[in-house]
């Protein structure tokens, strides 16, 4: 089939997680429930950190930013999927697909960098507790959060502009529930070498780079915790970073698992199903991880609900 210029492509078909009609109501109900839990849970974390003056610290400011990013991250994909199931349509416009891909990449990068900054914050708090307020001064804290928001924008814009140069065949079906970058590159009829190279280097710089920073921070944290003589002191130090470590592990393990499985051409639908873990399940679980393992958040939520009542 002869490829046409991408400007002639008006729409794509999102095949979703399953093409079985009898499974669509179940998928719709499950994803609607998970989406509502994600939005409400992360919104409660934000409201708790705003309403309780004891939580007006950099750590909880980062947590509220992460919760907001998780809401936006999930909202780039799930609502469109729910609309498609409800209307029994698989169509997404070309402009809609490109827009969805851009914002998905923006908030995925934001998640990545916020988790890295949170790891650095825990490193300073545990390894240099006496100098924490000096090192993590308001100016540096503001710059770290601002950088986390800004860095993802040029990266996402570059990937989107590179996707715009791709040409697609007349009939384009995306075996996914959203416009995923790797699927777009795989389905293109034109040469994708430049796209693959940009994606590779971006993954190394923006993926492996932050992960290396997180691993370095936690190697220092673990060394510091092991040096503490009392068991109670070790538990207290570890409890301050256990929630973040759980979230980081969940995020990176699921992402790595998805893109390792995506290497096989026959695993497109299984890769889409695995993507649910980091696009929907991880953002949904984050509020539970932070609220269940954090006494300050639990106290703030209790006060918030009592005040509302």
């Amino acid at each position: 089939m002869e490829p046409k210029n991408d400007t002639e492509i008006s729409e794509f078909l999102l095949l979703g997680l399953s093409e079985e009609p009898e499974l669509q109501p179940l998928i719709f109900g499950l994803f609607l429930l998970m989406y509502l839990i994600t939005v409400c849970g992360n919104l409660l974390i934000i409201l708790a950190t705003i309403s309780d003056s004891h939580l007006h610290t950099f750590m909880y400011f980062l947590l509220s930013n992460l919760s907001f990013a998780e809401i936006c991250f999930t909202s780039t994909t799930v609502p469109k999927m729910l609309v498609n199931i409800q209307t029994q349509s698989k169509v997404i416009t070309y402009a809609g697909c490109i827009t969805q891909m851009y914002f998905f990449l923006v908030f995925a990068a934001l998640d990545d960098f916020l988790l890295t900054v949170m790891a650095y914050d825990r490193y300073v708090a545990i390894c240099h507790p006496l100098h924490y307020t000096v090192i993590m001064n308001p100016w540096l804290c503001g710059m770290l959060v601002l950088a986390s928001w800004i860095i993802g924008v040029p990266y996402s814009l570059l990937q989107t502009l590179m996707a715009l140069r791709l040409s697609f065949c007349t009939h384009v079906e995306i075996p996914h529930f959203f416009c995923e970058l790797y699927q777009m590159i795989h389905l293109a009829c034109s040469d994708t070498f430049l796209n693959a190279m940009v994606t590779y280097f971006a993954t190394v710089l923006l993926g492996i780079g932050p992960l290396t920073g997180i691993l370095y921070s936690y190697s220092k944290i673990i060394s510091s915790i092991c040096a503490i003589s009392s068991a109670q002191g070790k538990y207290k130090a570890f409890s301050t970073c256990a929630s973040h470590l759980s979230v980081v592990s969940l995020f990176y393990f699921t992402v790595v698992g998805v893109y390792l499985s995506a290497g096989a051409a026959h695993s497109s639908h299984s890769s889409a199903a695995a993507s649910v873990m980091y696009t929907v399940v991880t953002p949904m679980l984050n509020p539970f991880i932070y609220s269940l393992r954090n006494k300050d958040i639990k106290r703030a939520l209790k006060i918030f609900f009592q005040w509302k009542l």
Side-chain angles (χ1 to χ4, degrees):
M1 183 179 292
E2 291 296 322
K4 295 185 178 182
N5 186 278
D6 57 84
T7 55
E8 297 179 23
I9 298 295
S10 60
E11 60 187 33
F12 296 96
L13 296 178
L14 295 174
L15 300 185
L17 297 174
S18 174
E19 297 183 60
E20 299 294 332
E22 60 271 16
L23 290 179
Q24 300 310 306
L26 176 62
I27 294 174
F28 179 86
L30 184 61
F31 273 78
L32 178 61
L33 178 63
M34 289 194 293
Y35 181 65
L36 292 176
I37 292 174
T38 300
V39 173
C40 293
N42 283 287
L43 192 58
L44 282 174
I45 295 292
I46 295 172
L47 292 174
T49 56
I50 292 174
S51 61
D52 192 339
S53 59
H54 296 94
L55 301 184
H56 292 175
T57 63
F58 184 53
M59 182 179 75
Y60 292 108
F61 178 63
L62 285 173
L63 179 57
S64 61
N65 273 266
L66 180 65
S67 294
F68 178 74
E70 298 285 32
I71 293 173
C72 297
F73 182 54
T74 308
S75 297
T76 60
T77 58
V78 176
K80 176 58 180 173
M81 177 189 181
L82 295 175
V83 169
N84 281 7
I85 294 175
Q86 186 65 22
T87 58
Q88 299 182 356
S89 170
K90 300 178 184 294
V91 173
I92 183 170
T93 63
Y94 178 81
C97 190
I98 294 296
T99 302
Q100 184 186 66
M101 184 176 67
Y102 171 78
F103 283 106
F104 177 84
L105 292 172
V106 165
F107 291 112
L110 177 59
D111 261 10
D112 192 18
F113 284 105
L114 283 176
L115 289 173
T116 306
V117 175
M118 291 173 81
Y120 177 69
D121 176 72
R122 292 300 83 206
Y123 158 72
V124 176
I126 294 174
C127 299
H128 306 284
L130 299 179
H131 301 94
Y132 179 80
T133 55
V134 176
I135 297 174
M136 302 303 290
N137 58 76
W139 183 86
L140 178 62
C141 294
M143 288 298 101
L144 288 173
V145 173
L146 184 62
S148 299
W149 277 89
I150 291 177
I151 291 175
V153 174
Y155 159 69
S156 305
L157 187 60
L158 174 62
Q159 293 285 21
T160 304
L161 292 175
M162 292 297 296
L164 285 172
R165 62 178 288 277
L166 296 174
S167 297
F168 298 93
C169 300
T170 307
H171 184 63
V172 179
E173 294 181 341
I174 301 176
H176 220 298
F177 62 94
F178 66 95
C179 292
E180 203 261 352
L181 176 62
Y182 293 95
Q183 292 292 342
M184 295 280 286
I185 295 174
H186 179 71
L187 292 173
C189 294
S190 57
D191 180 39
T192 60
F193 176 77
L194 189 57
N195 295 76
M197 287 297 98
V198 169
T199 301
Y200 172 77
F201 285 112
T203 301
V204 171
L205 293 175
L206 302 182
I208 297 177
L211 179 58
T212 302
I214 291 172
L215 292 176
Y216 175 80
S217 296
Y218 273 101
S219 68
K220 293 294 185 180
I221 288 172
I222 292 171
S223 297
S224 296
I225 292 176
C226 290
I228 299 174
S229 56
S230 68
Q232 185 179 0
K234 289 181 179 180
Y235 175 78
K236 185 177 180 180
F238 181 74
S239 64
T240 63
C241 60
S243 297
H244 177 258
L245 185 58
S246 301
V247 171
V248 167
S249 301
L250 189 61
F251 179 79
Y252 274 102
F253 281 139
T254 52
V255 169
V256 170
V258 166
Y259 290 107
L260 284 179
S261 66
H266 65 274
S267 63
S268 295
H269 277 290
S270 62
S271 176
S275 297
V276 174
M277 284 300 297
Y278 77 92
T279 57
V280 183
V281 176
T282 300
M284 180 185 69
L285 291 179
N286 284 358
F288 293 101
I289 293 172
Y290 279 106
S291 61
L292 292 176
R293 300 186 64 92
N294 191 303
K295 293 180 180 179
D296 293 331
I297 290 291
K298 285 192 285 188
R299 187 193 68 248
L301 288 173
K302 185 178 179 180
I303 294 172
F304 175 78
F305 282 116
Q306 286 177 345
W307 177 74
K308 282 293 182 181
L309 293 174

